[in-house]
Amino acid sequence: MAVRNIFARIYVDDLDTALPTFTALTGAQPGLRFAYRDVELAGIGDFLLVAGTPESLAPFRNVQATTIVDTLEEVLAVVEREGGQTLDGPNDVPTGRNLTVRHPGGAIVEYVEFDASKVEALA
């Protein structure tokens, strides 16, 4: 299973307010910005900013990272073999498919099987 990228999740109240600081810190422009459920997300550098009200962010706050992988099926096999737990998914999402799991030891990670054709449609 290949891990392609890992994004640190940063929870913010408002993307428009938060993005200038992260642009200055990373020297990058947001590579992707989209809405999902009741939150808005933006990828910038190695950060994934997740914005919304306290209520809309509540279901997401326990997720510690977003990881881009080749296939979710391989993640599911590893999680099952190692005794982890699937918390959500697999789901179709604006960037492909995702899956959220609790690893043995308690870490909660979102895995995304990235679909470039879906992302191009967002642009």
Side-chain angles (χ1 to χ4, degrees), residues 3 7-8 10-11 14-15 20 22 24 35 37 42-43 45 47 59 81 89-90 92 94 99 104-105 109 111-112:
V3 171
F7 293 97
I10 306 293
Y11 298 97
D14 181 76
L15 279 184
F22 283 89
R37 296 185 180 165
F47 296 103
R81 182 181 72 231
D92 288 328
L99 168 72
V109 178
Y111 292 91
V112 176

Side-chain angles (χ1 to χ4, degrees), residues 13-101:
D13 299 326
D14 181 76
L15 279 184
D16 292 326
T17 302
L19 278 171
T21 301
F22 283 89
T23 299
L25 289 170
T26 63
Q29 293 296 314
L32 185 61
R33 186 171 175 166
F34 62 97
Y36 178 67
R37 296 185 180 165
D38 293 330
V39 297
E40 190 177 7
L41 300 94
I44 183 164
D46 289 328
F47 296 103
L48 179 65
L49 277 61
V50 185
T53 65
E55 297 79 23
S56 64
L57 289 173
F60 299 96
R61 283 196 182 272
N62 61 350
V63 179
Q64 297 161 312
T66 295
T67 304
I68 308 302
V69 296
D70 287 334
T71 68
L72 293 183
E73 286 72 20
E74 291 178 13
V75 173
L76 284 166
V78 169
V79 168
E80 183 177 297
R81 182 181 72 231
E82 300 298 324
Q85 176 187 10
T86 299
L87 300 177
D88 187 33
N91 302 301
D92 288 328
V93 295
T95 56
R97 294 184 337 145
N98 81 340
L99 168 72
T100 303
V101 302

